[in-house]
Amino acid sequence: MLSVLRNRTYRRLFTAQVIALVGTGLATVALGLLAYDIAGAQAGSVLGTALAIKMVAYVAIAPAIGAIADRIPRRALMVGADLTRAAAALMLPFVSQVWQVYVLIFALQAASAAFTPTFQAVIPDVLPKERDYTQALSMSRLAYDLESLFSPALAAALLAFMSYNWLFLGTVGGFLASAALVVSAVLPKRVPAPKWEGGAYAKATAGSRLFLATPRLRALLVLNLAVAAASAMVTVNTVVYVRDHLARSTGDVALALGCYGAGSMIVALILPRVLDKVADRTVMLRGALLLSLVFAALGGVTAAGGGGWRWPALLGTWAAFGAACSMVLTPTGRLIRRSAPPEERTSAFAAQFSLSHACWLLTYPLAGWLGAEAGLQAAVIALGAIAFTAALTAVRLWPSSDADEKPHVHSDLTADHPHLAGAAEVFGGWSHSHHTAPDPLHRELVHSAP
């Protein structure tokens, strides 16, 4: 899997992503401590609002960026986003009011909403081979999982020698290093964007309309909801399970979250080989259905009155959640790449970024509110029902005939058309089989459902 790092451009972009993730992780720890200094016992409320602001920024800003991305060089857009994030992080240590925290968090996350979809849309151009791109997706999944484990440990080590305000400088350094690496990378020439009818609104909604028009992407929409239900349960209620429900130590909270990350990483490591032989549809739908089974297991752990088996059972459940989420999330880039022509990829990735975070904007507060007001079992039942319904809906929306390669006939192209290289002449046209995307040559083929 590390062979993709031989590509110089990808190596620099991946390193930029990793460094920026570590910086973001440091900021997350420092932000919690800053909120406590400013708001005291109301720090939880401040952080909850900051998280909501983050999601709102992601949902609102990503489509807008997708609408103007074709007017701005991709390198300039990513570097500008990194510099904006660095500036916001640099100002955070100097705030003294809660509203100032909210403003800076919105600026930082709005810049992230510009950087991430653009970065995701660049990688398929840098790594045009399917196998290389699949490996890059697994590397990206590993980077996110390792960051969730490494950043808190690094923050804890640094806090032994310095105040939390210095962690923000680490964040600034991460974003500046990311900007420098992006500047040094030679990006492939971008395919000219299509001309949209309807102005700015049509451009901003182009990615969403592509999702709604393509069966496999409609399925991805509800798969995002299944993953959001599981990840919200883990993110919001891990501390409640460990400290309150099982009466374990504070350190066991990190262990439980580590099991979730370990399950995700194991799947990310093995998926490149699996996806060489198994269709994306099979892997992703089985991952979504597995989430429902894991919720059922969690319901048993939650309902049990006592017993030492509950702690290892919870760790296993969290690891299974991580594995199932990774089965859905890791191939997502492949799905979008195959469903969107090169000139529409930025809009498509922006739509995925926005719509997936809209799911989290729903499930995060639901997990927290139900867990606090109605109990953990109610949260498990509600979120498990969401995951199960989403999985069944995805199975229905994603037709089994939607193979990775589709045999088809072109009857309106001349024999010397470049697209027909290797095609066989048949009655009525030229026949061949390949991965399809909704470009002008195949749009009806991809969008049609049986």
Side-chain angles (χ1 to χ4, degrees):
M1 188 168 66
L2 295 177
S3 61
V4 291
L5 294 177
R6 296 172 185 167
N7 183 301
R8 183 180 180 183
T9 298
Y10 174 71
R11 184 172 64 249
R12 294 189 177 189
L13 292 176
F14 177 72
T15 304
Q17 179 190 27
V18 171
I19 293 174
L21 282 174
V22 173
T24 301
L26 294 178
T28 300
V29 175
L31 185 61
L33 298 172
L34 174 64
Y36 186 79
D37 269 2
I38 294 177
Q42 299 302 313
S45 174
V46 172
L47 289 176
T49 303
L51 180 61
I53 289 173
K54 170 183 175 180
M55 294 302 171
V56 169
Y58 283 176
V59 172
I61 299 299
I65 293 298
I68 64 171
D70 60 301
R71 304 178 185 178
I72 307 172
R74 292 184 292 187
R75 181 189 286 108
L77 182 57
M78 288 190 288
V79 170
D82 270 336
L83 295 178
T84 301
R85 294 193 290 185
L90 184 61
M91 288 187 282
L92 276 170
F94 303 103
V95 303
S96 58
Q97 301 293 325
V98 170
W99 70 267
Q100 295 169 341
V101 174
Y102 295 157
V103 170
L104 291 177
I105 290 299
F106 182 83
L108 193 154
Q109 302 302 342
S112 293
F115 180 93
T116 303
T118 306
F119 175 89
Q120 292 172 334
V122 166
I123 301 303
D125 295 337
V126 174
L127 299 171
K129 294 183 179 180
E130 181 87 355
R131 183 175 179 82
D132 290 342
Y133 182 55
T134 302
Q135 293 176 351
L137 292 175
S138 292
M139 292 280 288
S140 181
R141 185 77 250 151
L142 284 172
Y144 279 103
D145 291 331
L146 286 173
E147 182 276 325
S148 67
L149 300 175
F150 175 73
S151 291
L154 177 61
L158 292 175
L159 288 171
F161 304 98
M162 62 185 67
S163 69
Y164 70 83
N165 282 330
W166 290 97
L167 296 183
F168 288 118
L169 292 183
T171 301
V172 173
F175 290 140
L176 292 178
S178 174
L181 286 164
V182 172
V183 167
S184 69
V186 180
L187 303 184
K189 186 177 180 180
R190 177 163 47 190
V191 177
K195 294 182 179 180
W196 299 103
E197 296 182 2
Y201 176 79
K203 294 178 69 175
T205 59
S208 298
R209 286 186 283 110
L210 176 67
F211 267 68
L212 295 176
T214 310
R216 64 176 76 130
L217 294 185
R218 289 201 296 268
L220 179 57
L221 286 176
V222 291
L223 289 174
N224 286 332
L225 183 59
V227 169
S231 61
M233 194 70 204
V234 172
T235 303
V236 175
N237 287 321
T238 293
V239 65
V240 182
Y241 269 102
V242 175
R243 297 290 287 143
D244 185 51
H245 194 68
L246 298 178
R248 307 286 300 189
S249 67
T250 303
D252 285 339
V253 174
L255 179 58
L257 292 173
C259 286
Y260 175 82
S264 179
M265 286 187 288
I266 290 171
V267 169
L269 284 170
I270 65 176
L271 269 186
R273 292 186 179 182
V274 172
L275 291 172
D276 282 342
K277 303 175 182 178
V278 182
D280 294 345
R281 180 183 184 275
T282 301
V283 172
M284 296 175 74
L285 292 182
R286 287 183 179 179
L289 292 170
L290 177 58
L291 286 174
S292 301
L293 296 178
V294 180
F295 266 112
L298 180 60
V301 174
T302 307
W309 61 271
R310 292 187 303 160
W311 172 236
L314 182 72
L315 296 181
T317 302
W318 257 223
F321 267 138
C325 287
S326 189
M327 289 174 68
V328 177
L329 292 174
T330 303
T332 293
R334 286 164 49 109
L335 207 65
I336 296 173
R337 180 196 190 197
R338 292 175 183 174
S339 303
E343 67 273 13
E344 296 182 31
R345 279 180 187 155
T346 300
S347 294
F349 277 104
Q352 163 64 8
F353 188 83
S354 174
L355 295 170
S356 63
H357 283 88
C359 295
W360 282 318
L361 185 58
L362 168 67
T363 58
Y364 275 149
L366 183 62
W369 180 82
L370 280 176
E373 299 296 329
L376 288 174
Q377 192 68 280
V380 172
I381 292 172
L383 292 172
I386 290 174
F388 180 65
T389 303
L392 291 183
T393 305
V395 172
R396 183 174 179 82
L397 290 175
W398 196 343
S400 58
S401 60
D402 184 27
D404 285 344
E405 294 192 7
K406 287 187 177 181
H408 55 281
V409 175
H410 291 281
S411 58
D412 55 349
L413 299 180
T414 59
D416 59 347
H417 193 284
H419 180 69
L420 298 179
E425 186 174 8
V426 297
F427 179 76
W430 297 84
S431 174
H432 62 178
S433 177
H434 60 81
H435 297 307
T436 55
D439 54 33
L441 298 177
H442 307 95
R443 192 176 299 273
E444 291 185 2
L445 177 68
V446 175
H447 287 180
S448 62

